[in-house]
Amino acid sequence: MQKTRRTFLKYAGVSVLGLAAMPAVKAAASYVPHQVHEKPDPRELHAKRWAMVIDTRRLNSDEDMKPLIDACHKEHNVPKIDGPQEVKWLWTDTMHAVFPEQSGEFQHAELEHKNFLLLCNHCYNPPCVRVCPTKATFKLQNGITMMDMHRCIGCRFCMAACPYGARSFNFKNPRPFLDEAAQNPEYPTRMRGVVEKCTFCSERLEKGQKPACVEASKGALLFGDLADPNSEVRKALKENYSIVRKPGLGTQPSVYYII
Amino acid sequence: MYDGSKILAGLIVFLALVTFPFWNNFGAKEWKQPELKLPPKEVATQCIESKEYMREQHMKILDDWRDQVVREGKRIYIAKRDHKEYQMSLQNTCMKCHDDKEKFCDKCHTTASVSPYCWDCHIAPKAKGN
């Protein structure tokens, strides 16, 4: 067959038509029966970017905060180790440690001597995820900064990268530091040589439950979707003055503090 | 003079050493399928997939499950055989039926010389005799 400009243009036209039909073909293909063997739990709670708002006005003393910490640590089998080898998912610290940039020399007396609740900030722009060499820590679709214990090699780059001290290293086998009777048999422990942190209770969210600390907080912690302007957390942020930890670093934390 | 006798003796010693594993195993007991403690009839009569499939593929299933759960957020497994749904969980699914790890998983693994490190973190249930 002779290759004239006319036949070339014909073929080109047909190819372009074919490309244009691609989405339709793909859509049709998804209706053809096929078997998927894994699916999400239908009870799962959905969000584009999970976030927490901590109403510090309602969390004043250690008695206010301890039940939340206990609920978290019991749920996730977090060992109780004192000293520098401590492992923590949810903890407290002082004004100057938590908000070093926001506090001047002299402070409101009440705030100055108050402890604040701390956890992983599930940053929008997380430095820990950038440095992890094995993708053991990564972002889930719903904004959670997740830990995959199966991939963690214990290099601790993420701990160096995290400006909030939200990560703990297991210097030793955590099992002896867990009360065996109080263990949660539904959740794993960790082993020596891995890093761990708060996961925003992704295992609970996927079964339709709010995080353990939120449930124990009697409304002092709000949990919701930061990407949804009508969510509980966005409403609370609209109506109250709030701050985040170390905003100057550009990590864009998803944990807000109402002062 | 080539020391023929010494070379010959050396060769015999060498051959004896090289073939030692074969001699040593003569008359040893042949490998037997370990006897496993299966869940009692009232707990379950079948596994997630067929018995043969489980024997060959359980490590692959578990490996897929942990990625699906932790990384993809999918928690439900639909069995290939009968489309029954299971939570993808080592502690909350496998070990609910096979709750005597020592008489089931370990027994097989010991004979096969595998020791999965999963139990450093995952909590094995207290055996109820299933």
Side-chain angles (χ1 to χ4, degrees):
Chain A
M1 192 177 71
Q2 207 183 353
K3 284 228 170 51
T4 62
R5 180 181 310 179
R6 195 181 156 75
T7 50
F8 171 77
L9 283 176
K10 265 194 214 155
Y11 282 118
V14 169
S15 324
V16 169
L17 261 184
L19 272 184
M22 269 296 272
V25 172
K26 269 197 187 145
S30 68
Y31 282 106
V32 175
H34 60 273
Q35 186 61 45
V36 191
H37 291 286
E38 287 105 5
K39 66 169 193 189
D41 195 315
R43 294 170 295 173
E44 181 177 352
L45 303 178
H46 294 278
K48 284 219 179 66
R49 186 178 167 194
W50 283 120
M52 185 180 285
V53 173
I54 300 179
D55 192 343
T56 62
R57 297 167 303 190
R58 295 179 56 180
L59 295 170
N60 293 303
S61 60
D62 278 351
E63 289 84 76
D64 292 341
M65 293 183 246
K66 190 160 180 305
L68 319 194
I69 298 172
D70 287 347
C72 169
H73 286 190
K74 190 167 183 312
E75 169 98 13
H76 301 109
N77 293 325
V78 178
K80 179 144 184 38
I81 301 171
D82 292 323
Q85 302 193 345
E86 182 186 16
V87 175
K88 54 198 180 355
W89 287 30
L90 191 59
W91 74 106
T92 63
D93 212 336
T94 58
M95 173 84 188
H96 289 281
V98 178
F99 302 111
E101 290 153 342
Q102 275 106 331
S103 42
E105 231 178 305
F106 301 99
Q107 282 291 319
H108 188 284
E110 209 178 287
L111 290 180
E112 174 100 41
H113 299 292
K114 191 164 143 171
N115 276 351
F116 293 84
L117 202 61
L118 298 173
L119 69 158
C120 169
N121 277 303
H122 297 275
C123 307
Y124 192 60
N125 185 13
C128 54
V129 169
R130 288 182 55 179
V131 299
C132 179
T134 61
K135 288 211 165 95
T137 189
F138 60 100
K139 282 304 258 189
L140 288 173
Q141 294 282 317
N142 57 16
I144 292 178
T145 304
M146 186 60 182
M147 259 312 281
D148 185 345
M149 295 297 168
H150 306 109
R151 288 207 191 177
C152 180
I153 55 171
C155 70
R156 305 174 67 196
F157 286 2
C158 56
M159 294 179 69
C162 177
Y164 305 109
R167 293 171 162 274
S168 310
F169 185 65
N170 284 281
F171 285 93
K172 47 194 170 193
N173 179 9
R175 288 249 169 112
F177 300 92
L178 277 166
D179 181 4
E180 205 173 313
Q183 255 178 14
N184 175 8
E186 313 261 293
Y187 200 83
T189 65
R190 264 68 59 198
M191 66 193 275
R192 199 185 92 194
V194 295
V195 173
E196 63 183 84
K197 70 169 194 78
C198 155
T199 62
F200 258 2
C201 281
S202 84
E203 84 283 359
R204 291 173 62 93
L205 293 172
E206 281 163 18
K207 290 186 206 129
Q209 298 164 312
K210 289 262 173 101
C213 57
V214 175
E215 226 168 57
S217 72
K218 305 198 194 92
L221 306 186
L222 303 177
F223 196 74
D225 189 355
L226 213 52
D228 171 9
N230 297 318
S231 67
E232 205 183 359
V233 287
R234 281 286 291 274
K235 279 207 190 103
L237 293 178
K238 233 175 271 170
E239 289 161 11
N240 299 281
Y241 178 67
S242 66
I243 55 178
V244 295
R245 293 183 68 195
K246 306 188 184 173
L249 297 175
T251 56
Q252 293 172 272
S254 303
V255 175
Y256 284 76
Y257 294 83
I258 295 177
I259 298 296
Chain B
M1 277 303 291
Y2 291 110
D3 283 338
S5 56
K6 277 186 197 155
I7 290 173
L8 216 63
L11 266 177
I12 288 168
V13 169
F14 173 74
L15 276 177
L17 278 177
V18 162
T19 53
F20 174 74
F22 298 100
W23 303 118
N24 190 39
N25 256 347
F26 251 136
K29 273 184 285 178
E30 64 181 293
W31 188 81
K32 268 216 299 280
Q33 183 84 21
E35 233 180 86
L36 302 174
K37 185 147 190 217
L38 293 176
K41 291 273 176 296
E42 36 323 336
V43 174
T45 49
Q46 58 174 39
C47 201
I48 292 171
E49 303 285 357
S50 73
K51 185 172 166 176
E52 290 67 35
Y53 187 87
M54 289 312 288
R55 263 189 207 165
E56 287 166 18
Q57 301 287 338
H58 67 275
M59 22 342 220
K60 171 100 180 24
I61 291 182
L62 286 169
D63 193 30
D64 286 346
W65 280 17
R66 60 185 191 177
D67 279 354
Q68 289 294 333
V69 168
V70 178
R71 307 191 78 89
E72 309 292 333
K74 296 183 179 163
R75 291 215 170 230
I76 297 200
Y77 178 76
I78 307 164
K80 295 190 169 64
R81 181 174 55 176
D82 51 9
H83 297 195
K84 229 178 123 184
E85 294 186 359
Y86 297 91
Q87 283 280 329
M88 289 195 265
S89 174
L90 175 55
Q91 277 164 243
N92 305 325
T93 304
C94 308
M95 306 318 282
K96 283 274 143 69
C97 287
H98 301 292
D99 85 346
D100 198 337
K101 171 173 158 285
E102 262 150 48
K103 294 207 177 99
F104 187 75
C105 316
D106 287 358
K107 199 139 192 195
C108 215
H109 291 160
T110 311
T111 28
S113 295
V114 268
S115 50
Y117 69 107
C118 320
W119 311 108
D120 287 351
C121 295
H122 288 274
I123 301 172
K126 290 202 183 59
K128 285 194 297 276
N130 283 8

